[in-house]
Amino acid sequence: MRGTTEQPLLAPLLGGQAGWGAGRRTATGASLAAAAVSWAMLMAPLGALVAHLTPSTVERALSAPGALQPLVVSVEAGAASLDALVVVGTPLGWLLARTIGAVASVLEAGMLAMLLLPPLVIGLLLVFLVGPATPVGSLLAHVRLSASNTLLALVIAQSYEAGPYYVLGAQAAFRVVDPALPELAQLGGDSGWRSFRRVTVPLAAPGLVLALSTAWARAIGAFGAVLIVAYHPYGLPLQIFTTLEETGLASALPFAAVLVLVALPLPLAGYYWSSRAERRHRGVA
């Protein structure tokens, strides 16, 4: 009925039946062209990176003594950050997904506030939260740890920058799970933890994997908060920054390429796996 009522009204404007079909094809073509231009514009920075890299520049930059140490630091800190986010962020994501009313609004507002805070501001606030002159800093000093210019400080800064991405992603993943399914498992004799592990987590896994892989890219590329609280040891983002300042753009590009190669594969693989898993759950080949 919708097509029969709308088409006669618009057909005179498009020249009848033929004009209607031609108009739809023109609109579709224009949309595809706009989408192609938008995709090309968004991909342009990666194209510029590839276009301006030369084998000699890459070899000279990466063969210098200690050149790849920032990569090791970034990977170690990023892995530790993800471990912390899984332990702390997964229960919080589940709570956000299952809480309703004013409490849910407050919890979500807090996560959104942390997501939207500029990373430099996060770094400044971390100084007042875990810096050497704070109660937390004093407690860390008693066990010979420090949250300032150490690997621990880097992990903390990365976790705060990446944490909201994982928590909100986990919330979305848990929301798609029907609460009745783990309840049925508990009626069958499973404990609350067992039903969560055997029912809730597998059903939420596609979204959790995507959230975690996104958090990986955000953590390993963290810069603003890291610049304030963990200038040493250098990770890849700070290595890019210091190389840019000291020797120029061309010397920094190889480290930028390494960061891209380390940060992107996991999110891309996570997105692909999550999409396949969701289609399987829906019964689509």
Side-chain angles (χ1 to χ4, degrees), residues 25-76:
R25 288 193 296 273
T26 301
T28 301
S31 298
L32 290 175
V37 171
S38 299
W39 185 90
M41 291 176 64
L42 290 172
M43 294 297 103
L46 288 177
L49 174 62
V50 174
H52 289 83
L53 281 175
T54 62
S56 60
T57 303
V58 173
E59 182 181 1
R60 184 168 58 252
L62 300 185
S63 62
L68 294 180
Q69 183 59 30
L71 170 62
V72 177
V73 171
S74 286
V75 170
E76 288 180 347

Side-chain angles (χ1 to χ4, degrees), residues 81-144:
S81 299
L82 289 195
D83 289 340
L85 291 180
V86 169
V87 172
V88 177
T90 304
L92 180 55
W94 179 86
L95 181 65
L96 285 170
R98 292 292 176 260
T99 306
I100 59 174
V103 174
S105 298
V106 171
L107 293 174
E108 288 182 349
M111 282 296 98
L112 288 172
M114 289 304 301
L115 179 70
L116 298 174
L117 272 181
L120 280 172
V121 173
I122 294 175
L124 290 172
L125 298 180
L126 284 177
V127 173
F128 292 99
L129 181 65
V130 298
T134 65
V136 174
S138 299
L139 289 174
L140 290 173
H142 281 301
V143 292
R144 298 185 179 182

Side-chain angles (χ1 to χ4, degrees), residues 249-264:
L249 181 61
S251 300
L253 280 180
F255 296 104
V258 172
L259 180 57
V260 169
L261 290 175
V262 173
L264 290 189

Side-chain angles (χ1 to χ4, degrees), residues 4-276:
T4 58
T5 57
E6 288 184 356
Q7 184 170 320
L9 293 174
L10 296 176
L13 299 177
L14 298 173
Q17 182 72 24
W20 169 254
R24 289 187 62 183
R25 288 193 296 273
T26 301
T28 301
S31 298
L32 290 175
V37 171
S38 299
W39 185 90
M41 291 176 64
L42 290 172
M43 294 297 103
L46 288 177
L49 174 62
V50 174
H52 289 83
L53 281 175
T54 62
S56 60
T57 303
V58 173
E59 182 181 1
R60 184 168 58 252
L62 300 185
S63 62
L68 294 180
Q69 183 59 30
L71 170 62
V72 177
V73 171
S74 286
V75 170
E76 288 180 347
S81 299
L82 289 195
D83 289 340
L85 291 180
V86 169
V87 172
V88 177
T90 304
L92 180 55
W94 179 86
L95 181 65
L96 285 170
R98 292 292 176 260
T99 306
I100 59 174
V103 174
S105 298
V106 171
L107 293 174
E108 288 182 349
M111 282 296 98
L112 288 172
M114 289 304 301
L115 179 70
L116 298 174
L117 272 181
L120 280 172
V121 173
I122 294 175
L124 290 172
L125 298 180
L126 284 177
V127 173
F128 292 99
L129 181 65
V130 298
T134 65
V136 174
S138 299
L139 289 174
L140 290 173
H142 281 301
V143 292
R144 298 185 179 182
L145 294 175
S146 174
S148 178
N149 288 324
T150 62
L151 187 64
L152 174 61
L154 180 57
V155 171
I156 292 173
Q158 287 182 342
S159 298
Y160 270 93
E161 284 205 35
Y165 291 85
Y166 177 70
V167 172
L168 293 174
Q171 176 194 20
F174 286 126
R175 271 185 174 169
V176 302
V177 178
D178 187 348
L181 298 177
E183 291 175 2
L184 287 174
Q186 293 180 47
L187 289 175
D190 284 351
S191 64
W193 165 247
R194 184 176 173 83
S195 68
F196 177 80
R197 180 172 57 85
R198 295 184 60 219
V199 179
T200 304
V201 170
L203 291 175
L208 292 175
V209 168
L210 188 57
L212 191 63
S213 57
T214 302
W216 163 259
R218 190 68 186 88
I220 204 167
F223 177 73
V226 172
L227 181 66
I228 303 296
V229 301
Y231 197 85
H232 295 285
Y234 281 170
L236 278 172
L238 275 173
Q239 179 67 18
I240 295 170
F241 176 69
T242 55
T243 304
L244 177 63
E245 285 195 321
E246 293 172 0
T247 57
L249 181 61
S251 300
L253 280 180
F255 296 104
V258 172
L259 180 57
V260 169
L261 290 175
V262 173
L264 290 189
L266 184 60
L268 292 175
Y271 177 80
Y272 177 77
W273 182 86
S274 298
S275 299
R276 290 290 300 271

